[in-house]
């Protein structure tokens, strides 16, 4: 007789464990000489075909076996089978029937249109954690799709549906919905160059330069637009800023139990690199619905034994405040504002309801094996999944096409059961006390007050109504302005101490040089001016020259190249460009060394350019043609 018959059921989620148990018994029988080795090998290799499960009298089968497994684990199989337990569950059967009908009908359409044969749906009350609906497949009794397998409790990759958890942690650490993250081609393996080429011994296969679904990049992007449009590069940057282990810890506090191997996921975690359960992800999103308070999911209201003694009864508890109300309300505001996603998904997308405020996030794995959507109001959270149980890929469509119609139709039916509700707004902050890049200005990290009538820096005598803020144009990546361990704290004294800075900064500097006058601002910046008479020397020419390399000098491209300058003007910094593309900066000193072979820009006839910046907002560029022999 098998142990835990519900757990090892051939119609559940643990058939691999059933095979392991069968093989263990056979091995012990062989060890004890109860069967011969030939009999052992024959029995071990035999393919078992299971008869179709009985279909009569069972309702909400995936939920029933989910509850039965819980009861066996808690009270033992003998008590469950013979104890005469009376179990009252949380399931709303009217909602369950609606979920089953919608899921089956649209999953069959998806199979024809998108090669997505299965789907699942879960609905919970976020205020209590009670499971209202659990649809584990399009049809429990459909053997063609392995319908008895409960996708609601299976491990699947969530794609971009994981992003709100990472951004929520960013908000907890001091970032804001309008914080700027640059959406640009970026290499995240510090053992690879900014262009994605391997450096000294690093395998090329480990270089990591993810792309966006559209294949395009948007430059400076506010978090609220990046999250609403599900843009990948800013999300990967945010995961680095908050830390993979910290993100996993928050996910665990929000009810996700399956992320146990941080080294395997790395920065791909934010794009769905770790497996999660639909039930747990839906429960986690309920944390945002309740202003940061997590209520663990439950399917039980009351259990009595055959004597009427109460063994277990649901009692509402306070829950755990895992993120602040401000953070949860920021996430809800972003995910319910259609303008944040319309620029990518279009205004008439399946995530939007004109008559209700509903927050929602989709997720599609890069190999098109999983399509997700999870959305919520303050009183209801619903998650849906579409794909194939055997993990085969669907046709290349996003989750907004495949999974969202199921979620949308089910959610809309619930409007008759729930009154219209609105998310609370997060309190306003004193923006002038926050770094410009954290509050939506990518042009720099320093600002000053201007007299709008003169255009000059304001003085104590400038009327308040004439004062406006101006940001010094000094474009850098966020790591130039922010210490990731303390975003609201002082600017880093040396941003190069952060291993990611060099590659992130190279991408930003190259983008900015390529913009020219597109943003109606100079390409370089300087210090905050104090008063007009203190900046009267701003037109003084910079005096510096490039001493190495010399004009038309020949170099071996496999050898480090030293660039040296001689300056008569104190320089704030100087940039180095190879063939017009930024490769690095020097904040002090007169020498910069780089390895030409690591650059994809290398040509036989090349040009080294040095752009110097003084402390009065003046610039000068000196270019030297050189020749590479290899």
């Amino acid at each position: 007789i098998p142990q835990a018959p519900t757990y090892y059921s051939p119609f559940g989620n643990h058939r691999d464990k059933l095979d392991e148990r069968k093989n263990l018994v056979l091995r012990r029988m062989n060890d004890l000489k109860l069967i011969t080795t030939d009999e052992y090998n024959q029995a071990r290799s035999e393919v078992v075909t299971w008869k179709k499960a009985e279909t009569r009298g069972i309702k909400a089968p995936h939920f029933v076996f989910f509850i039965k497994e819980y009861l066996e684990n808690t009270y033992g199989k003998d008590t469950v089978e013979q104890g005469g337990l009376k179990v009252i569950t949380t399931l709303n059967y009217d909602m369950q029937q609606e979920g089953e009908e919608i899921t089956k009908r649209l999953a069959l359409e998806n199979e024809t249109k998108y090669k997505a044969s299965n789907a699942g749906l879960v609905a919970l009350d976020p205020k209590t954690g009670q499971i209202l609906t659990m649809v584990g497949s399009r049809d429990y009794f459909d053997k063609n799709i392995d319908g008895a397998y409960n996708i609601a409790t299976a491990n699947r990759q969530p794609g971009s549906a994981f992003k709100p958890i990472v951004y929520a942690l960013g908000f907890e650490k001091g970032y804001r919905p309008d914080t700027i993250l640059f959406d640009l081609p970026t290499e995240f393996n510090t053992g690879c160059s900014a262009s994605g080429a391997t450096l000294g011994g690093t395998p090329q296969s480990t270089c990591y330069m993810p792309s966006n679904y559209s294949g395009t990049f948007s430059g400076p992007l506010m978090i609220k637009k990046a999250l609403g449009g599900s843009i990948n590069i800013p999300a990967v940057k945010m995961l680095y800023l908050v830390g993979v282990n910290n993100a996993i810890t928050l996910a665990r506090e929000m009810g996700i139990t399956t992320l146990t191997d941080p080294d395997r996921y790395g920065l791909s975690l934010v794009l769905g690199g770790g497996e999660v359960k639909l039930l747990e992800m839906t429960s986690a999103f309920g944390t945002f619905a309740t202003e940061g308070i997590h209520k663990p999911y439950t399917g039980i209201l009351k259990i009595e034994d055959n004597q009427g003694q109460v063994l277990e009864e649901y009692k509402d508890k306070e829950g755990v405040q895992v993120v602040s109300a401000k953070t949860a309300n920021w996430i809800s505001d972003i995910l319910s504002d259609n303008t944040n996603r319309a620029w990518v998904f279009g205004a008439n997308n399946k995530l939007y309801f004109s008559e209700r405020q509903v927050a929602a996030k989709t997720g599609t794995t890069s190999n098109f094996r999983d399509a997700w959507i999870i959305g919520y109001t303050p009183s209801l959270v619903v998650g849906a999944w579409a794909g194939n149980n055997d993990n085969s890929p669907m046709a290349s469509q996003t989750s907004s096409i495949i999974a969202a119609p199921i979620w949308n139709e089910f959610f809309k039916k619930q409007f008759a059961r729930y009154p219209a509700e609105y998310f609370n707004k997060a309190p306003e902050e004193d923006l002038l006390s926050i770094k410009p890049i954290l509050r939506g200005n990518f042009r720099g990290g320093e600002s000053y007050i201007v007299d709008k009538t003169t255009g000059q820096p304001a003085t104590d005598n400038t009327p308040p109504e004439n004062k406006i803020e101006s940001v010094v144009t000094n474009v850098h990546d966020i790591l130039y302005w922010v210490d990731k361990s303390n975003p609201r704290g002082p600017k880093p004294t040396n941003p190069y101490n952060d291993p990611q800075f060099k590659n992130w900064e190279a991408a930003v500097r190259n983008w900015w040089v390529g913009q020219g006058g597109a943003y109606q601002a100079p390409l370089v910046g300087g210090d905050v001016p104090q008063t007009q008479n203190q900046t009267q020397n701003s037109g003084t020419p910079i005096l510096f020259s490039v001493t190495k390399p010399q004009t038309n000098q020949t170099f071996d491209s496999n050898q480090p190249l030293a660039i040296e300058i001689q300056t008569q003007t104190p320089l704030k910094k100087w940039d180095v460009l190879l063939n017009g593309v930024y490769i690095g900066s020097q904040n002090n000193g007169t020498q910069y060394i780089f390895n030409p072979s690591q650059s994809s820009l290398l040509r036989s006839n090349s040009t080294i350019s040095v752009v110097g910046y003084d402390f009065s907002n003046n610039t000068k560029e000196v270019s030297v043609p050189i020749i590479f022999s290899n």
Side-chain angles (χ1 to χ4, degrees), residues 3 185 189 203 243 261 265 293 407 420 445 471 540:
Q3 297 178 343
N189 186 334
D261 191 0
Y265 317 133
I293 297 173
W407 173 90
V471 175
T540 304

Side-chain angles (χ1 to χ4, degrees), residues 5 57 149 195 227 255 262 281-282 309 315 321 350 434 476 544 547:
Y149 189 79
S195 61
L227 175 55
M281 278 291 285
T282 306
Q309 180 179 351
K315 288 183 173 60
Q321 188 88 44
K350 287 293 185 179
I434 301 171
H476 293 283
F544 83 90
T547 57

Side-chain angles (χ1 to χ4, degrees), residues 599-620:
S599 173
S600 61
L601 307 165
L602 200 64
R603 300 194 297 264
S604 177
N605 294 309
S606 293
T607 299
I608 294 291
S609 300
V610 174
V611 181
Y613 313 98
D614 71 6
F615 289 89
S616 297
N617 204 19
N618 300 307
T619 67
K620 178 181 179 180

Side-chain angles (χ1 to χ4, degrees), residues 131-297:
I131 301 170
L132 305 174
T133 304
M134 179 184 286
V135 183
S137 73
R138 78 183 193 197
D139 185 345
Y140 179 88
F141 304 105
D142 189 338
K143 293 181 64 176
N144 293 327
I145 61 161
D146 198 10
Y149 189 79
N150 189 351
I151 201 66
T153 58
N155 290 342
R156 307 290 298 208
Q157 291 193 347
S160 294
F162 195 77
K163 288 174 181 175
I165 296 174
V166 173
Y167 281 116
L169 183 56
F171 294 158
E172 289 290 281
K173 291 184 174 295
Y175 302 97
R176 292 173 41 84
D178 48 1
T179 292
I180 296 292
L181 295 171
F182 280 88
D183 175 34
L184 297 168
T186 305
E187 173 57 57
F188 289 95
N189 186 334
T190 56
C192 302
S193 71
S195 61
T198 181
L199 301 177
T202 301
Q204 182 66 52
S205 61
T206 66
C207 295
Y208 183 52
M209 186 179 282
S211 61
N212 294 319
Y213 177 78
S214 66
T216 61
F217 302 91
S218 301
L221 203 57
M222 291 185 182
I223 283 176
K224 61 185 178 183
K225 302 292 285 186
L227 175 55
S230 200
I231 307 302
N232 288 341
I233 311 305
V236 178
K237 289 184 174 182
M238 180 53 69
L239 180 56
Y240 173 74
L241 293 172
V242 302
V244 173
N245 287 329
N246 294 331
I248 290 175
T249 297
L250 177 58
R252 187 180 305 118
E253 292 172 347
M254 295 175 70
I256 296 173
T257 63
T258 55
L259 301 175
T260 58
D261 191 0
D263 293 337
R264 177 167 68 89
Y265 317 133
L267 293 179
S268 70
L269 176 67
V270 73
L271 306 183
E275 293 75 20
V276 298
K277 302 178 188 295
L278 176 61
L279 176 60
E280 292 185 351
M281 278 291 285
T282 306
S283 175
F285 270 62
T287 306
F288 299 134
T290 54
E291 296 194 310
I293 297 173
H294 177 64
K295 295 286 187 77
Y297 67 79

Side-chain angles (χ1 to χ4, degrees), residues 452-484:
K452 66 181 181 181
T453 61
T454 66
Q456 298 297 324
T459 68
D460 293 340
N461 297 322
T462 302
E465 62 271 18
N466 286 348
K467 292 182 178 180
I468 58 173
E469 184 189 29
S470 181
V471 175
V472 176
T473 300
N474 196 7
V475 178
H476 293 283
D477 181 79
I478 194 169
L479 288 174
Y480 183 87
W481 306 112
V482 165
D483 178 350
K484 69 177 186 294

